[in-house]
Amino acid sequence: MAPLAGDFSLLRGEPPLEYLARANQLQAQGKDMVRFEIGQPDFDTPENVKNVAREALKEGFTHYVPSLGIPELIEAIRDDIEKTRGFRPDKKQVMVLPGAKPGIFFGLMTTVAMGDEVIYQNPFYFQYDSLIGYMGARKVEIPLYEKDEFRVTPEQIQEKITGDTKLILLNSPQNPTGGVLKKGDVEAIAEMAEENDAYILSDEIYSKMLYDGEKHHSPAYLDQCRERTIIVDGFSKAYSMTGWRLGYMIAPEEIIHKTHNLFADVASCTTSFVQKGGVEALKNGQGFVDHIMEHFTRRREAVVKGLNEVPGFSCIYPKGAFYAFPNIKETGMSSEELANHMIQEGVCLLPGTAFGSQGEGYLRLSYARSVEEINKGIEKMKTAMEKVL
Ligand SMILES: Cc1ncc(COP(=O)(O)O)c(C=O)c1O
């Protein structure tokens, strides 16, 4: 048989699911568990969004729609990009997809060939590493450091960028660390990409989830996604719509054209009535985003303060998203040992190493939980550490 298109042995799957399954099993056996493993907001999807989708179903909006997305949603996305990124993409630069993840997939598939260099950060969102490996691209990893608040610096990229660099993958706010890129750094990186004729794939799924007055800065400011920048964003996080599967990419026309053809072969279109919900979220969802960010701000305070009281832990404030990434080096245990110990003690979280080698010495907690649950989890962690230190 001829070789398959990619190396399937390099696909990573979803590491949190393994911990989730173990926590479910312990819970089923009657163990009281506090769950910090999964990266999804615990709020219901806003009622107005659900109502619009219900209405669309009632009206029979249940058939194939254009592969690029319904015109109403494309317009709403253009409006939102204009408001949040300061430029209005052309209609031909927008493609609706079933989530941000397909945007990452198609962004890589349409730009990177086997052997091309891709620069990305470690720790990373696992999908990146999985797909870059699968595609046979050359991995150029840049370590993120706590001393830099887990921000990649332009100097680090300058050191690694070469004529063979095809794409730089950015993610700000970042999963798993909550790191947020600064304006000057984003600008320097965008300029470097231009000088070296590299693409930038910018995963901006957490761009509406910022703290401390931080602002989102997209590398698309330079080319407005006309030449080299691909923005990927979606509805899962800020509008609590993970199960709806809805996202989009803004990209140069030729990349949209290729994605369009490939996506038509894969799935024909994104679910029709779901897209109507997306229009409502973008048009009338800011109140909801503000509401959940008020909660996340209180939760962030509880989780960071609490983690700093756990023996052997220290934790900086994440600037965006809803993940805490505490340093556990003082405990003398590895990330995996500690995550395994915690799960036995009734706290499910992830080892930093689920997100790459640079995650050693750290844990990741998704604080999409009530303050009460966070406090309960912290108490369990303190007890758990007293047993081993
Ligand atoms: C950085 C990052 N990108 C993309 C996604 C996936 O988003 P979606 O549900 O829109 O596919 C996630 C989800 O955890 C994420 O953390």
Side-chain angles (χ1 to χ4, degrees), residues 203-252:
D203 182 348
E204 304 183 10
I205 186 80
Y206 298 104
S207 59
K208 289 186 163 70
M209 309 188 91
L210 292 158
Y211 306 95
D212 303 335
E214 284 281 335
K215 296 262 180 298
H216 176 64
H217 303 288
S218 174
Y221 88 97
L222 193 58
D223 74 333
Q224 310 197 332
C225 296
R226 290 207 182 95
E227 283 170 40
R228 65 189 69 262
T229 312
I230 304 166
I231 293 180
V232 172
D233 202 342
F235 298 76
S236 287
K237 313 291 174 171
Y239 302 103
S240 217
M241 291 171 69
T242 47
W244 291 62
R245 308 311 302 133
L246 189 61
Y248 55 89
M249 71 197 283
I250 315 292

Side-chain angles (χ1 to χ4, degrees), residues 112-311:
V112 176
M114 209 178 239
D116 283 343
E117 282 182 11
V118 177
I119 293 181
Y120 63 118
Q121 289 94 73
N122 182 339
F124 42 70
Y125 178 52
F126 26 80
Q127 186 204 10
Y128 309 156
D129 185 67
S130 181
L131 288 178
I132 294 165
Y134 166 77
M135 292 170 62
R138 267 186 286 158
K139 297 180 175 184
V140 181
E141 295 181 22
I142 294 188
L144 296 182
Y145 298 111
E146 188 177 343
K147 69 172 174 52
D148 299 326
E149 296 178 311
F150 301 111
R151 273 184 278 116
V152 61
T153 66
E155 293 73 27
Q156 284 178 299
I157 295 200
Q158 184 71 63
E159 235 170 70
K160 294 285 170 77
I161 200 163
T162 70
D164 293 332
T165 305
K166 197 59 180 282
L167 184 137
I168 302 168
L169 215 171
L170 295 178
N171 173 215
S172 174
Q174 210 238 7
N175 180 7
T177 64
V180 170
L181 285 173
K182 299 223 174 288
K183 185 166 186 273
D185 290 353
V186 170
E187 289 177 357
I189 295 167
E191 282 164 26
M192 255 179 255
E194 189 174 273
E195 280 157 24
N196 290 276
D197 197 20
Y199 287 104
I200 300 184
L201 179 54
S202 183
D203 182 348
E204 304 183 10
I205 186 80
Y206 298 104
S207 59
K208 289 186 163 70
M209 309 188 91
L210 292 158
Y211 306 95
D212 303 335
E214 284 281 335
K215 296 262 180 298
H216 176 64
H217 303 288
S218 174
Y221 88 97
L222 193 58
D223 74 333
Q224 310 197 332
C225 296
R226 290 207 182 95
E227 283 170 40
R228 65 189 69 262
T229 312
I230 304 166
I231 293 180
V232 172
D233 202 342
F235 298 76
S236 287
K237 313 291 174 171
Y239 302 103
S240 217
M241 291 171 69
T242 47
W244 291 62
R245 308 311 302 133
L246 189 61
Y248 55 89
M249 71 197 283
I250 315 292
E253 260 183 59
E254 50 140 338
I255 289 175
I256 295 293
H257 180 69
K258 287 180 185 165
T259 301
H260 183 190
N261 288 339
L262 196 51
F263 185 61
D265 278 350
V266 171
S268 294
C269 64
T270 301
T271 310
S272 54
F273 49 89
V274 159
Q275 296 192 49
K276 291 275 189 180
V279 174
E280 178 64 14
L282 287 182
K283 285 197 168 157
N284 298 310
Q286 190 54 47
F288 176 80
V289 180
D290 294 343
H291 167 74
I292 69 169
M293 285 315 291
E294 269 173 37
H295 281 278
F296 277 128
T297 300
R298 284 198 288 276
R299 293 161 170 197
R300 182 181 78 137
E301 194 55 42
V303 82
V304 173
K305 189 170 159 287
L307 286 170
N308 280 308
E309 288 167 5
V310 177

Side-chain angles (χ1 to χ4, degrees), residues 3-21:
L4 296 170
D7 187 342
F8 287 83
S9 70
L10 294 174
L11 292 173
R12 293 171 62 93
E14 293 249 9
L17 295 183
E18 182 200 322
Y19 285 83
L20 179 131

